[in-house]
Amino acid sequence: MPAIEVHQLQKTFQSKRKAAGLGGSVRALFKPEYNSIEAVRRLSFQMEAGELLGFIGPNGAGKSTTIKMLTGILYPSEGEAKVLDFVPWKDRQKLAYHIGTVFGQRPQLWYHLPAVDTLILFGKIYEMDDRDVKLRISQLAEAFEIQDLLETPVRKLSLGQRMRCEVAASLLHRPKLLLLDEPSIGLDVVAKQHIRDAICRMAQEENVGVLLTSHDAGDLEALCKRVIIINHGQIVYEDKVSNLKRKYLTTKMVEVRYAEEVPAGFSINGVEILKVGHYGVKLRFNTTQTPVDSVMAHLSQAGEIVDITISDPPLEEVIAKIYQEAALTPVPSPAPQRTGAGGRRV
């Protein structure tokens, strides 16, 4: 059974129009007008049980709105969705026992209490046995390395420490699915790595499915096997992360260091020479236009190679390229509808 099934999901918000002039302001007081804003447009996808899926897009793409519909916080305007065989907005209370959620900018831990107090409270809410709660807290504390943080009031924790406790709290009741909305926002490199490692470990040991939204490409590479990219509430790319890299990471950066000085006038056809030093060169080329074997052969002929580094462009650049392609593709959108008081169309 798939963990998530979404079919033609749509969410439209009503935004009140600002009336121009004094007369317009008076009319708007008694008969307000609204514009329709489509946050999610006919979204359809599926996520398998135990899968680690990246769900990414630029700000305003509809990621958080989709997550909120999948957790039952928001009702959709149209479409269908099932999460662990529950309809989220109809079975929200039942679904809550089987999913864990983390919203990076909305903490669930009580600010003035130690994290362990919130975890014990959550155990009561999820109707867990006291001994089971104690054992589970011990397991999560070890997995997330928060043994020394549990007794400290949350307000005194750093952002990275707090987020580790937040993710641990979402796993207390052994959910089958974890929905993470920007869990690493604002964290430093070390804190991000702590959270990624812990989530990976828990996903492998307990077969927890993870749906992750993030602006950090490192989260996708470390956690996700498949990625869905949305823009303007619609899917613009869906594939394995490995295929995403293979398709778009066609540019290679090469740095070579030689045992002897680089020959004067060093050049290779179809290759952009970025820098030439006394004993090294830095270059860039497109593998779809210039064969790798040809480049390596020319580099070897230039002298004895002491060291060589071949790297891909950052995944952020790849994702930005996909966004740009999506932005150039016209997205059909109906003209804004004006509605009167009570949501009636005018």
Side-chain angles (χ1 to χ4, degrees), residues 266-273 282-286 290-291 295:
F266 179 91
S267 66
I268 302 175
N269 290 333
V271 174
E272 180 184 1
I273 308 299
K282 183 177 182 180
L283 51 92
R284 176 170 57 199
F285 68 100
N286 191 319
T290 306
V295 175

Side-chain angles (χ1 to χ4, degrees), residues 4 8 24 45 68 82 92 123 170 229 257 292 294 328:
I4 298 176
Q8 296 292 305
F45 69 91
K68 289 174 182 176
K82 278 194 173 183
R92 183 179 177 187
S170 70
I229 301 178
R257 185 167 182 81
V292 176
S294 172
L328 295 174

Side-chain angles (χ1 to χ4, degrees), residues 1 3 47-52 84 98 136 171 174-178 198-210:
M1 180 184 70
M47 174 181 169
E48 299 302 321
E51 184 179 4
L52 295 109
L84 301 175
H98 303 282
R136 185 60 171 168
L171 289 164
R174 296 183 176 87
K176 299 175 183 176
L177 176 65
L178 191 59
I199 291 173
C200 278
R201 192 179 311 118
M202 298 301 292
Q204 291 171 359
E205 293 176 358
E206 303 186 2
N207 196 36
V208 181
V210 178

Side-chain angles (χ1 to χ4, degrees), residues 38-337:
E38 289 185 314
V40 175
R41 304 181 180 190
R42 299 173 293 280
L43 198 65
S44 298
F45 69 91
Q46 185 169 299
M47 174 181 169
E48 299 302 321
E51 184 179 4
L52 295 109
L53 175 63
F55 191 69
I56 64 174
N59 291 329
K63 306 184 300 297
S64 295
T65 300
T66 302
I67 294 285
K68 289 174 182 176
M69 286 190 284
L70 294 179
T71 56
I73 296 174
L74 289 178
Y75 277 67
S77 304
E78 294 181 27
E80 302 172 352
K82 278 194 173 183
V83 179
L84 301 175
D85 212 30
F86 293 102
V87 178
W89 46 93
K90 293 180 180 178
D91 305 307
R92 183 179 177 187
Q93 187 171 352
K94 295 178 182 177
L95 178 62
Y97 284 87
H98 303 282
I99 64 171
T101 58
V102 174
F103 292 91
Q105 297 180 343
R106 298 187 180 182
Q108 58 186 333
L109 299 175
W110 286 27
Y111 187 66
H112 295 292
L113 295 180
V116 67
D117 289 358
T118 302
L119 292 172
I120 292 172
L121 175 62
F122 283 0
K124 298 292 186 182
I125 292 172
Y126 288 115
E127 301 174 0
M128 298 173 64
D129 182 79
D130 289 345
R131 287 178 297 179
D132 188 27
V133 171
K134 186 176 180 180
L135 176 61
R136 185 60 171 168
I137 290 175
S138 177
Q139 292 173 344
L140 293 170
E142 183 179 353
F144 286 86
E145 300 179 9
I146 55 175
Q147 296 96 328
D148 299 333
L149 307 177
L150 290 177
E151 300 292 342
T152 304
V154 171
R155 69 177 184 274
K156 294 185 178 181
L157 299 178
S158 70
L159 180 58
Q161 292 170 336
R162 181 175 66 78
M163 286 309 302
R164 273 188 280 164
C165 293
E166 291 276 356
V167 179
S170 70
L171 289 164
L172 179 72
H173 56 297
R174 296 183 176 87
K176 299 175 183 176
L177 176 65
L178 191 59
L179 298 106
L180 304 175
D181 189 17
E182 300 284 356
S184 63
I185 188 168
L187 302 186
D188 59 46
V189 175
V190 176
K192 287 179 181 179
Q193 195 58 50
H194 274 303
I195 290 179
R196 291 168 186 166
D197 291 343
I199 291 173
C200 278
R201 192 179 311 118
M202 298 301 292
Q204 291 171 359
E205 293 176 358
E206 303 186 2
N207 196 36
V208 181
V210 178
L211 178 64
L212 168 73
T213 77
S214 178
H215 285 288
D216 191 326
D219 289 342
L220 301 178
E221 291 187 281
L223 295 173
C224 301
K225 303 297 182 184
R226 187 164 66 96
V227 62
I228 292 175
I229 301 178
I230 67 169
N231 200 15
H232 301 296
Q234 294 179 312
I235 293 177
V236 296
Y237 186 89
E238 181 177 2
D239 205 344
K240 293 180 180 179
V241 174
S242 57
N243 291 340
L244 168 69
K245 295 172 70 175
R246 192 177 303 115
K247 180 178 179 181
Y248 286 94
L249 297 182
T250 55
T251 301
K252 299 292 181 183
M253 302 283 290
V254 182
E255 295 185 58
V256 182
R257 185 167 182 81
Y258 290 101
E260 301 173 350
E261 288 193 13
V262 179
F266 179 91
S267 66
I268 302 175
N269 290 333
V271 174
E272 180 184 1
I273 308 299
L274 302 176
K275 184 179 180 182
V276 178
H278 291 294
Y279 294 94
V281 295
K282 183 177 182 180
L283 51 92
R284 176 170 57 199
F285 68 100
N286 191 319
T287 57
T288 62
Q289 300 171 358
T290 306
V292 176
D293 290 346
S294 172
V295 175
M296 296 305 297
H298 281 84
L299 291 173
S300 298
Q301 292 171 5
E304 180 185 350
I305 297 176
V306 175
D307 188 27
I308 184 169
T309 302
I310 303 175
S311 58
D312 296 315
L315 192 56
E316 286 93 339
E317 292 184 12
V318 177
I319 296 171
K321 183 178 180 181
I322 295 174
Y323 290 164
Q324 291 169 0
E325 291 178 358
L328 295 174
T329 304
V331 178
S333 58
Q337 298 174 351

